Amino acid sequence: MSSKRRILIVDDDKVVCHYVAGLLQSNGYQVMSVNTGEEAMAQWRSYRPCLMLLDVFLPDTTGYALTRSILEAMGEPKIPVIFFTGLSDEQVINKCFDVGGDDFLSKPINDNELVVRVRAAIDRSDDYKSQYEQRNELAYHRDNVLREHEIAEKLFSNLMRSDQLDFAGVRYSLTSMSIFNGDLLLVMGTPDGRINMLVGDFTGHGLSAAIGSLPASEIFYAMTAKGFGIADILTEINRRLRSLLPVGMFLAACGIEISKEGSVARVWAGAIPDMLVRRVADGSVERVAAKHVAIGILEPDEFSAVLEIVTLNPGDKLYVFTDGMPESENAAGEMFGFHALMQVVESTAEGEEIFDEIYHQLDEFRAGHEQSDDLTLLEYTCLDQPGMRLIKQQPEQRANPLSSIGTEWYLRINLEADAIRRFDPRPVLAQITMDIQGLYEHRERLFRVFEELYTNALDYGVLGLDAGMKSSPDRHADYLAEKDRRLSALSEGSIVIDIQHYPVKNGGLLNIVFEDSGQGFDYEAVKAANTTTDAVGGLGLLEDLCEEVRVHPPGNEVRVSYRWTMNSQV
Amino acid sequence: MAINSSLSADGKTMTLHVNGRFDFSCHQGFVAAYKEYPKGDKYYVVDLKNADHLDSSAMGMLLQLRDYSNKEEQVKIRHPHDGVSEVLKIANFDKLFTIEA
């Protein structure tokens, strides 16, 4: 865009005008000359000069007054103004600059000097103009970013269901750096009383991090409500984020599933600082390192959901935090450090709150220095009386009155080894039963029934595990490890599930049959083993929940009847 | 934050040398360097001998490079030290890259 630069000359001396105009034109400028202030006022707006050259003394006004008027009317960005004057009086010179002039030239005018000064003034003005525009653009963008952050904050506050977070034994804190928190913390219970927890740290801050939180939390809540465990949930979150997020963005995270009794934690951790476990027995602190890559990087078939098992005794505490905590800086640029964090967990005395102490020490270390990253901490304490955990009731879905009317239906699922290895049918079974029949109030009990039946069929039947191993807490971890081993090696076996529903007066009857390809088991022996401990419900639970339980010898076929009546309470 | 690149004698591998802080300020230079050749064409080596810091945007850049490179061989990361190798270890990047001391 090389249009010639336009210069406006204001001088009542026509000879000077003519001479200067000629000089500037031969140097590539376009020039307009006027002889009075009035003419200048009339012309400048339409001519739009890049620079003005004017004499201090004009017939109808002064160069000063004219400059002041024009520059004021022009607003930003201003144009450069160069004065001619025959006088080199200091007062005159000062006045030139006072009114906004950029330079002055004494008459008689030196050719070379004029051209050089004009060129320099225009260059300076160009610089100023681009800086001015950039500043405006920057302010505009900054305002946009602030607005986006506000939106993100609102989004996020809708996301985290704080009504789900009140579990006894769970303590958490999220203090964010910018308005929107790049960290994620989700806690929710399954229908059968397990707790799923997810602590995560998305790449980026603000809105770009918010984008990932949406699918991640939706998946977490929906699947937990259906009874899925943390492995399945993380696999699904990885699938979604991998397809959604651009390459290079990911979620560093720690997912934990706490068993019903509260004594076994299954852990998945990727790209996050080590989890800490403080043992009440001797006050020692163990580190559980993240073994996986962050979520959202690997393809679905490469993603590994292998969980680590951590057994807990009542009083033991787990700590999960994102990197904002160990990387917290003080004014000198030193980081608090992972070891310092571990120190706090280790050295806090019995009876003192480690959780509070961590924040206290961090505050002291930072000594008022501004927080540069989100601080997120989750503490889980294994409780003395697992049976007495408070689980907030999830808002019950209203059963469709029509579907509560007993109807007759029949469902059969046949699972072969491949399917058994890869697929957990329990959430699906419970969901189908609830969807078809609208038995939402019975969700928890039904879930437990299916779970018991499936565990028996899978663990004792198909996998041939020894129920006795579950009877003691320390062997429980071995039991789970052995189960994982046998399951991943499974090549033969089947489980057939039959569900029949009949309407009866005021309700219905569910007849459920589980048949497995195993050797069978001694039902009475298993019942005896399980009733001596609080381990996993046991067959006694089936008898409590169901109207009838029949085990057909050799033990690989179990039939139960579950009766429900309209408006029955749990 | 400066990036230098060089091609191996057989022309199949490009080595990217990162000097100073490996962070978002390197983004343009890093991407311009590896995109000199078409996607999937070259193998890549990232030399971190002179890199003293690595943040999550740098990890993002490494992942993008991994996506861009010839998939027959993993991208190599050479000579990470101190804090840099710490970060790579926590992120379990040895599962995604071949890390050579």
Side-chain angles (χ1 to χ4, degrees):
Chain A
M1 232 204 71
S2 50
S3 55
K4 285 189 182 171
R5 303 305 192 107
R6 292 179 296 278
I7 299 180
L8 179 66
I9 304 177
V10 189
D11 196 325
D12 58 338
D13 186 337
K14 297 209 169 106
V15 172
V16 168
C17 282
H18 185 80
Y19 180 71
V20 171
L23 180 58
L24 290 174
Q25 272 157 354
S26 65
N27 274 277
Y29 298 100
Q30 209 184 330
V31 182
M32 174 190 277
S33 311
V34 297
N35 307 115
T36 63
E38 197 184 321
E39 276 169 41
M41 287 303 288
Q43 293 294 338
W44 76 264
R45 225 180 270 272
S46 51
Y47 187 59
R48 293 182 295 122
C50 313
L51 180 141
M52 276 193 330
L53 281 165
L54 39 109
D55 195 315
V56 168
F57 297 108
L58 292 166
D60 55 347
T61 180
T62 62
Y64 309 128
L66 182 61
T67 300
R68 212 184 279 123
S69 307
I70 293 182
L71 289 183
E72 208 174 285
M74 193 177 263
E76 287 290 339
K78 298 202 190 309
I79 59 169
V81 174
I82 300 181
F83 288 94
F84 298 139
T85 170
L87 308 166
S88 47
D89 191 285
E90 202 174 299
Q91 216 177 25
V92 167
I93 294 167
N94 286 342
K95 195 115 193 252
C96 291
F97 290 114
D98 277 346
V99 297
D102 291 72
D103 207 351
F104 81 95
L105 288 161
S106 337
K107 290 182 180 178
I109 295 167
N110 176 311
D111 286 13
N112 206 43
E113 212 181 331
L114 172 72
V115 172
V116 164
R117 299 277 189 104
V118 162
R119 195 173 296 145
I122 291 184
D123 281 347
R124 266 198 314 271
S125 156
D126 282 347
D127 274 347
Y128 174 71
K129 209 168 140 203
S130 77
Q131 263 182 45
Y132 175 76
E133 276 161 14
Q134 278 175 13
R135 203 167 41 230
N136 278 356
E137 233 182 281
L138 212 62
Y140 174 75
H141 283 299
R142 197 201 52 214
D143 286 341
N144 264 351
V145 168
L146 277 171
R147 214 167 47 90
E148 284 184 355
H149 274 224
E150 277 165 25
I151 294 171
E153 189 195 8
K154 189 65 178 47
L155 245 162
F156 186 68
S157 67
N158 288 343
L159 232 135
M160 241 181 76
R161 303 187 198 178
S162 49
D163 60 314
Q164 290 297 333
L165 290 167
D166 293 330
F167 285 86
V170 176
R171 239 191 122 172
Y172 67 93
S173 172
L174 286 147
T175 31
S176 56
M177 170 196 122
S178 57
I179 296 174
F180 178 72
N181 196 337
D183 283 2
L184 189 65
L185 192 147
L186 308 170
V187 179
M188 186 169 172
T190 63
D192 64 327
R194 286 167 292 151
I195 307 180
N196 286 338
M197 302 189 270
L198 181 63
V199 177
D201 179 3
F202 275 100
T203 22
H205 293 280
L207 206 55
S208 60
I211 289 172
S213 297
L214 290 167
S217 59
E218 293 286 290
I219 291 170
F220 179 88
Y221 288 127
M223 288 180 77
T224 300
K226 294 195 174 151
F228 284 97
I230 203 73
D232 289 334
I233 292 174
L234 291 172
T235 303
E236 187 55 31
I237 292 178
N238 178 73
R239 182 201 315 276
R240 195 76 72 83
L241 291 181
R242 177 75 179 110
S243 63
L244 180 75
L245 295 178
V247 175
M249 285 187 68
F250 50 83
L251 171 63
C254 177
I256 304 177
E257 180 185 321
I258 306 281
S259 63
K260 288 201 286 267
E261 322 74 46
S263 58
V264 177
R266 300 166 117 106
V267 179
W268 184 101
I272 200 170
D274 295 356
M275 180 173 94
L276 297 174
V277 185
R278 173 158 160 160
R279 300 288 182 189
V280 70
D282 58 358
S284 65
V285 176
E286 291 160 23
R287 292 167 69 157
V288 180
K291 300 232 171 12
H292 296 276
V293 157
I295 298 175
I297 298 176
L298 293 172
E299 289 296 319
D301 59 354
E302 298 170 317
F303 182 76
S304 163
V306 169
L307 302 174
E308 212 166 314
I309 292 167
V310 179
T311 41
L312 300 168
N313 292 309
D316 287 350
K317 290 175 189 280
L318 288 179
Y319 293 92
V320 181
F321 43 88
T322 56
D323 63 9
M325 290 208 112
E327 291 178 8
S328 248
E329 280 182 10
N330 62 8
E334 300 162 330
M335 295 206 272
F336 190 68
F338 181 85
H339 286 279
L341 258 175
M342 199 165 149
Q343 259 285 58
V344 178
V345 175
E346 222 161 11
S347 58
T348 303
E350 266 313 307
E352 294 289 311
E353 278 300 327
I354 297 175
F355 192 95
D356 297 324
E357 188 59 22
I358 291 175
Y359 278 98
H360 178 64
Q361 296 253 0
L362 268 169
D363 280 341
E364 257 188 33
F365 175 79
R366 284 211 325 263
H369 182 65
E370 219 184 278
Q371 199 183 313
S372 61
D373 197 356
D374 304 328
L375 297 180
T376 300
L377 176 67
L378 173 75
E379 176 195 76
Y380 172 74
T381 307
C382 177
L383 296 176
D384 285 335
Q385 295 156 306
M388 295 197 40
R389 275 172 336 167
L390 301 161
I391 296 176
K392 270 264 181 85
Q393 282 297 354
Q394 282 133 31
E396 289 298 341
Q397 288 169 274
R398 294 249 149 263
N400 181 343
L402 281 178
S403 63
S404 294
I405 296 167
T407 52
E408 193 170 319
W409 53 269
Y410 168 68
L411 170 72
R412 167 179 273 229
I413 293 181
N414 190 324
L415 299 169
E416 299 291 323
D418 252 359
I420 294 171
R421 233 184 18 247
R422 287 184 290 158
F423 168 60
D424 178 359
R426 294 170 299 171
V428 171
L429 294 171
Q431 194 65 35
I432 290 176
T433 311
M434 287 191 286
D435 281 350
I436 297 177
Q437 213 41 63
L439 296 172
Y440 296 108
E441 288 141 20
H442 299 258
R443 184 212 311 254
E444 192 170 314
R445 304 163 105 228
L446 278 173
F447 203 89
R448 287 188 204 239
V449 169
F450 282 121
E451 200 201 353
E452 270 322 307
L453 289 166
Y454 191 68
T455 303
N456 287 324
L458 176 62
D459 289 19
Y460 311 137
V462 174
L463 296 178
L465 289 160
D466 170 19
M469 268 180 99
K470 276 205 286 194
S471 60
S472 65
D474 357 90
R475 296 189 70 198
H476 200 170
D478 296 334
Y479 177 88
L480 292 172
E482 182 60 25
K483 176 173 173 173
D484 282 344
R485 245 195 305 278
R486 293 197 189 182
L487 192 57
S488 44
L490 186 70
S491 57
E492 268 184 355
S494 67
I495 299 178
V496 180
I497 304 165
D498 263 305
I499 306 178
Q500 268 184 344
H501 181 266
Y502 304 100
V504 296
K505 186 168 175 198
N506 261 345
L509 192 67
L510 267 172
N511 284 337
I512 306 169
V513 183
F514 269 64
E515 190 182 326
D516 67 76
S517 59
Q519 308 286 17
F521 61 96
D522 189 339
Y523 174 57
E524 296 301 322
V526 169
K527 214 167 102 177
N530 284 342
T531 52
T532 56
T533 74
D534 294 300
V536 204
L539 288 174
L541 179 65
L542 273 179
E543 292 189 341
D544 288 339
L545 292 172
C546 302
E547 190 173 77
E548 200 182 336
V549 179
R550 276 179 294 156
V551 181
H552 287 239
N556 60 344
E557 184 182 309
V558 181
R559 293 171 173 262
V560 305
S561 293
Y562 183 92
R563 182 184 291 271
W564 64 275
T565 48
M566 210 79 82
N567 302 319
S568 64
Q569 272 312 309
V570 178
Chain B
M1 74 148 230
I3 311 283
N4 303 59
S5 62
S6 55
L7 208 53
S8 61
D10 63 3
K12 294 203 189 137
T13 306
M14 172 184 260
T15 300
L16 298 152
H17 302 266
V18 181
N19 301 308
R21 288 178 69 93
F22 194 178
D23 60 17
F24 194 69
S25 61
C26 305
H27 190 257
Q28 236 181 343
F30 193 78
V31 175
Y34 72 71
K35 282 201 172 167
E36 207 185 315
Y37 298 96
K39 184 167 176 173
D41 191 35
K42 302 285 176 223
Y43 301 117
Y44 290 92
V45 174
V46 181
D47 185 342
L48 297 180
K49 188 161 66 258
N50 296 322
D52 53 28
H53 177 89
L54 188 106
D55 68 2
S56 59
S57 56
M59 289 198 276
M61 282 182 256
L62 289 170
L63 291 170
Q64 286 171 326
L65 176 63
R66 176 175 175 263
D67 189 56
Y68 194 82
S69 77
N70 187 325
K71 301 286 187 303
E72 306 228 345
E73 242 176 62
Q74 271 188 337
V75 171
K76 291 188 175 55
I77 296 180
R78 282 211 181 115
H79 316 307
H81 56 90
D82 305 333
V84 172
S85 68
E86 222 1 77
V87 172
L88 293 173
K89 186 169 163 307
I90 293 180
N92 289 303
F93 261 32
D94 57 318
K95 292 194 159 64
L96 303 170
F97 299 87
T98 302
I99 302 189
E100 295 174 359

